[in-house]
Amino acid sequence: MRRPLGLPPLPDFRKGKAPFNLANLTCQTRFGGGPAPLLALKGLVFDCDGVSMTRAHAYGKSGAAHRYYVSSSVNRGRGERRPDGIYRLPALPVERWVIETLHRLAPDHDPLAVLSRIEVHEHTVQLALNGTVLSPEARGLPVTMDRLRRALVESEQVQVEGERLWVHIPSRLKFRGGKAWLSGEAPKRSRMSQALIKALKRSHHLVASGSDAECVLQQAPSSPHERDLIRLAFLAPDLQAAILDGRQDAGLCLEDLRGADFPLCWDDQRRSLRV
């Protein structure tokens, strides 16, 4: 079965395979359909009462399966439910939101390795990040905390509790039309560009077909057009995810990226490109 507009497995370049998984994972989540979730959140999601939320699914009128995370107490028919409590979450938008948020907070780390726990309360969302992954050495913790604080948006806070770094997001998580956003924000409108998505897919194919077993590119493509396209595979993972999810600037087109002399450093790319 063909995977629509997906990316091939990302090869190991320079910093290893994990940082490149974002674009591939986001693509899988956007198109859905697979039996496995994008992000294995089982055992990591908790409701406003601190009860674990388990995976469940239901079938619509068309026969399509829809995945959810449901509070264990609701499944068992036990416990009282708060009027404003969130006890059921649509899986796909939650997984998208978690990936997007984690790569804003820790863009160079694998989301699965970073996330320790997520608590969905009535008016806040709390993410527990794995401090030993973000800062393997204790002396590096101040630098890690400084990076996290710079990645926070207004009203968000971060604090250390043991080996976990808790990020407090003081907004209610809302859902509609397969999307998730925070209260006070407008739902994000998608500007999916098929030309950009196909070019990104093609760039990864060129890298994969021209690399050896150790993922070292053996030679540049023969045509000037393909030499321009192959550079897209080296965009920062979160920038690639923005293109796949239609979150790039409204005026950005393929010719802008093909003609851009963007740097190899991911941080410099984020400052210089309109993605």
Side-chain angles (χ1 to χ4, degrees):
M1 184 174 181
R2 289 187 64 187
R3 177 183 171 190
L5 296 177
L7 295 177
L10 299 172
D12 294 327
F13 291 112
R14 292 169 39 177
K15 294 187 69 175
K17 189 172 183 177
F20 286 89
N21 283 340
L22 170 63
N24 197 33
L25 290 177
T26 303
C27 184
Q28 293 176 29
T29 270
R30 275 195 42 249
F31 294 107
L38 164 69
L39 215 56
L41 296 181
K42 182 180 179 181
L44 299 178
V45 186
F46 295 80
D47 65 17
C48 54
D49 299 319
V51 177
S52 174
M53 303 183 80
T54 59
R55 292 182 297 189
H57 68 274
Y59 293 94
K61 293 181 179 180
S62 64
H66 302 279
R67 295 186 295 109
Y68 300 91
Y69 292 96
V70 183
S71 175
S72 300
S73 60
V74 173
N75 271 343
R76 299 189 187 103
R78 301 175 182 174
E80 297 183 1
R81 299 174 63 176
R82 303 185 194 182
D84 294 334
I86 300 177
Y87 297 95
R88 171 168 153 159
L89 301 170
L92 191 59
V94 166
E95 291 160 4
R96 289 176 181 165
W97 182 84
V98 169
I99 285 179
E100 187 174 306
T101 303
L102 289 177
H103 277 274
R104 170 170 61 85
L105 300 173
D108 296 332
H109 291 81
D110 188 332
L112 288 173
V114 171
L115 185 64
S116 293
R117 181 184 177 105
I118 174 172
E119 297 181 0
V120 182
H121 297 269
E122 294 96 323
H123 303 291
T124 63
V125 182
Q126 301 182 16
L127 300 175
L129 309 184
N130 192 328
T132 58
V133 172
L134 295 175
S135 180
E137 298 183 6
R139 61 184 180 182
L141 183 59
V143 176
T144 299
M145 290 293 291
D146 182 61
R147 289 177 179 171
L148 270 177
R149 291 191 180 99
R150 285 188 277 116
L152 299 178
V153 298
E154 186 177 359
S155 300
E156 293 180 351
Q157 298 180 348
V158 60
Q159 64 184 47
V160 181
E161 291 185 10
E163 294 185 350
R164 289 178 172 177
L165 308 181
W166 282 91
V167 177
H168 299 267
I169 304 175
S171 298
R172 182 181 176 90
L173 201 56
K174 295 187 174 184
F175 310 94
R176 188 176 68 200
K179 298 180 180 179
W181 71 96
L182 299 171
S183 58
E185 294 181 339
K188 296 180 180 179
R189 294 185 178 180
S190 175
R191 292 185 294 268
M192 290 178 59
S193 168
Q194 295 301 321
L196 284 173
I197 292 174
K198 289 179 179 178
L200 195 56
K201 175 183 176 181
R202 178 62 179 163
S203 70
H204 282 269
H205 175 75
L206 290 171
V207 170
S209 61
S211 301
D212 60 15
E214 296 182 354
C215 297
V216 176
L217 193 63
Q218 294 300 298
Q219 62 181 9
S222 56
S223 74
H225 174 70
E226 291 184 340
R227 286 197 293 271
D228 287 339
L229 286 185
I230 199 171
R231 299 184 305 135
L232 302 183
F234 298 93
L235 285 173
D238 53 311
L239 300 186
Q240 297 189 41
I243 291 173
L244 290 171
D245 211 28
R247 292 182 285 104
Q248 74 279 359
D249 280 4
L252 185 70
C253 65
L254 177 57
E255 291 305 312
D256 292 332
L257 289 181
R258 283 187 55 202
D261 185 20
F262 53 80
L264 288 177
C265 176
W266 289 347
D267 287 335
D268 292 341
Q269 290 177 8
R270 296 180 183 112
R271 286 190 289 264
S272 62
L273 294 176
R274 296 183 297 112
V275 178

